[in-house]
Amino acid sequence: MSKIVAIPIPGGNKTVPVNTGLFINNEFVPSVDGQENITVVNPATEEILCEVSGASAKDIDIAVAAARKAFNTTWGKNVTGFERSKLLNKLADLMERDQQELAELESLDNGKPVRIARDFDIGDTIQCLRYYAGWADKIVGQTIEVDNKTKLAFTRHDPIGVCGQIIPWNYPIGMWGWKVGPALATGCTIVMKPSELTPLTALKLSELVKEAGFPPGVLNTVPSLGGVGGAALAAHPGVDKVAFTGSTITGRKIMEAAAKSNLKKVSLELGGKSPHIVFESADLEQAANWAALGILYNTGQDCTAGSRLFVQDSIYDKFMALLIEKTNQLTISHGFDENAQGGPVVSKTQYDRVWSFIESGKAEGAKVAVGGEKRTTKGFWVDPTIFVDVKPTMKIVREEIFGPVLSVAKFSTEEEAIEWANDTSYGLGAGLHSNDANQCMRVSSALEAGTVWINQYNLLNNNVPFGGKKQSGIGRELGSYALEEYTSVKAVHWNFGEKLSWPF
Amino acid sequence: MPSTFEYSFDTPSYKGKVALNTGLFIGGKFVDPVEGGTHDVINPTTGKLTTKISVATKPDIDTAVKAAQKAFNESWGLKVPGAQRGKLLMKLADLLEEHRSELAAIEALDNGKTWSWAYNVDVPGAFSCIRYYAGWADKNSGQVIETAETKFAYTRHEPIGVVGQIIPWNFPLLMLAWKLGPALATGNAIVLKPSEFTPLSALRVAELLNEAGFPPGVVNIVNGYGHTAGAAIAEHMDIDKVAFTGSTIVGRKIMEYAAKSNLKNVTLELGGKSPNIILDDADLDQAVAWAAHGVFWNHGQTCCAGTRIFVHEKIYDEFLERFTKKAQALKLGDPFAKETNQGPQVSKTQFDRIMGYIESGKQDGATVHLGGSPHGSEGYFISPTIFTNTKPNMKIVREEIFGPVGVVIKFSTEEEVIEQANDTHYGLAAAVFSKHIDRALKIAHKLNAGTCWVNCANTLDTQIPFGGYKQSGIGRELGEYALTNYTNVKAVHINLGMEI
């Protein structure tokens, strides 16, 4: 049947068992038509960790059928909010129990430091599941006054149904939680396609889903190539809604497939080229810390990475000196190094892509202030790189790089900064640093982004919504807003007295 | 040092040992009252002494308020994020669930309700309620409100501060949960007075609060008498809100004290004389079963009990016959015996009061169709009692009896029964039985009651609000609605460019 592999954990004699089959109906099964396996690589060493089953379109059919059956019989409206709450809380408890082990797997698969995976990625995800557990028994509709005599009008907030969820490789567990929480809380069932680059923790979490007591078919996990599994879910007539986090290019394809198939509901969390503005009144030391975090956290592999830095001319030299100093203080190393604050980029493809942007920056005449040189050791390393003297037309300024590569430009007026910041088809995040309250209000109102940080960057909270304007996405995750993405509103008009005379 | 009450249960329903501290729980510790008073806790099944507990007077309330204020300012309120408050509440719920059998036993010993009802309804109702409000703790959001470009306006939903809570004896643990849940979720610190008739389960919960990890002073549990400790809470100048569940008579006093002291915010859950309307097209067997549950559950000691049962003349005889059989089938006895359905009334005072109403019914000329007398020679048992042939102005029809006494009244038209049903100062609950939903809804929408049951009675859910119209109360408990009782709304207006 399906194979359990023992993944060795560096630094000891420990291994973590991972079942590499497809998780459908609470069982791990092989692909029905023997698809090519997916090779999982450790980005710090370039070594192969293992192979996992890749789902085919036929496997997706089976998973969708399982999710539909569960929705009609043991989940959906057949289970109370109370019960859904209980199971989500149990799942959170199990993640907490296995926090260290999950962090080690995540680090081996994605490259991020174990410490950060454990305390932040997984710590936040446990809170996220608990947050949505709390919503499960609080999904309410409205009663609406029409007239007092004959009609009772009310809305029901029904679960949408079977949801295809396609998640990326930058925060595998984090993105899993953001999707699973609201979908299960509202009563939807899930066919989850984790990224083919980072499938291990999604498979491990599937075991916890079963252990927590979710009925078979409620959550199914089908690692596969995007062009296979992702395309199949987006086009599937049996899927009522698809939620995708990833690149804008792929997001377009998802929406197209949804439109051409059954007009399924679509929510998208896509790319960004988020502006980060430092005004002269800012606390420069703090602003430099946040700016560094904004581009270097998760080795820049963050959809909201503050990748375009705009610094007011009056404080430019002082600020840049601080920023460069802080950038040089960061330790980029393999995940099991206790001192590491960042790891490699996730794959060869990403490595080649990021380096090609860096080369283009040099070729187009931007000046390298920090980094820009490859390492010679094994592993997909990209060290922090800062370009200055950039022009708005350069590729490194217009396109999303998804690595620790920052472009810096100088500005004079607030109007200029806002104009340049908004000059992008993206609209995911934005940050500004200023001690002038009116300026903070003006600029945050003017910035075209779904999340604006004032005197901060990158830090999100489970109860505050997150999502993109413009081509950065459709819909919102987190907070109570995410519930709407998984809810279908039915209005009921109940006549208890109006007789229709005929002809009318 | 306050004494510990130890008790060994050796019953068909529960075997186990219990140890409770009988002191005042203030600032995370059990302490003696300043003026050193005790109260005899009587076992209503036997009429004998269970134990003595400490009772608080004004100086103790002052100490408790100071402890609550300190906690609110330093280790609670908005200093603790909602998610953390939620986590502590979840832990408390888990502990209540862990000790489910034990808490049911304490409740049955103290209140007289059967261990089975306590185990199956009271205790799970309590921990489910706490879990529900744990989920609200990080979701009490304010609003951002668009007015003009020159103003940024938003509301903050802040905790009120130190709140006083006074709970009754009919569902001691459940009423404790209904109060603690929303108040703690929203970040308030609490001074809570259980009923002196049923203090034991609250004293056990005090220990669990420490075990769950609530900072000292966040919840203070101070037993005492209404006219001393209760009054001290209602008129305290540093308590910013009082929530009371109990009789309408005492509710008036609470509101008066609040008005005369610091105009503290008041919510009240008071009495009822709830109508239960059985139409001629009701599913008769179901209506009979629900009506019996509506009036006899918890020995009639339920604020929303359907104590005035209106039956359509077409089905009156048939209903009365079946309803009487249901009442006769109730077995009275030891709350710990597995076959017992109904235990004693909670106290001698209540026993006398109910018997007084029964006597007045007889004197006013109503027919005692069933019961009408005490049961057994020990404890405070009263037989399920049904009166018929009443007149609307009789005391047994107008006043809340709070015992296993129902009044069955014949009616002919819908207009007549709606008028009679609404002819009361109370407005807590009402029920309508009919197989035609539209008929039932039309009537339900005309009844002046905070809860209208259609084809059911006496069934509540943590997510659905509960509270009274008219003199049955002010405010709503349960559901999201309860959060407003413990929230202060602050509107912030930020000027972005208006010059004056």
Side-chain angles (χ1 to χ4, degrees), chain B residues 472-494:
Chain B
S472 283
I474 293 172
R476 291 291 175 271
E477 294 198 279
L478 300 186
E480 183 179 359
Y481 292 75
L483 301 177
T484 34
N485 299 338
Y486 295 98
T487 295
N488 248 344
V489 178
K490 171 187 288 169
V492 180
H493 305 234
I494 303 180

Side-chain angles (χ1 to χ4, degrees), chain A residues 368-447:
Chain A
V368 177
V370 174
E373 296 305 321
K374 283 187 181 178
R375 293 191 192 183
T376 53
T377 50
K378 265 210 175 297
F380 308 128
W381 304 104
V382 182
D383 287 305
T385 299
I386 301 180
F387 282 103
V388 297
D389 299 341
V390 302
K391 290 199 173 37
T393 50
M394 292 176 177
K395 271 182 74 164
I396 55 168
V397 179
R398 299 221 68 76
E399 298 181 31
E400 187 181 37
I401 301 174
F402 227 68
V405 181
L406 181 66
S407 313
V408 187
K410 205 184 285 189
F411 73 91
S412 326
T413 65
E414 183 184 295
E415 290 71 27
E416 211 169 34
I418 292 171
E419 193 192 318
W420 295 348
N422 286 339
D423 178 24
T424 167
S425 58
Y426 289 115
L428 193 56
L432 70 105
H433 297 266
S434 165
N435 272 326
D436 176 344
N438 278 3
Q439 180 175 57
C440 289
M441 205 57 232
R442 277 194 309 272
V443 177
S444 63
S445 293
L447 288 171

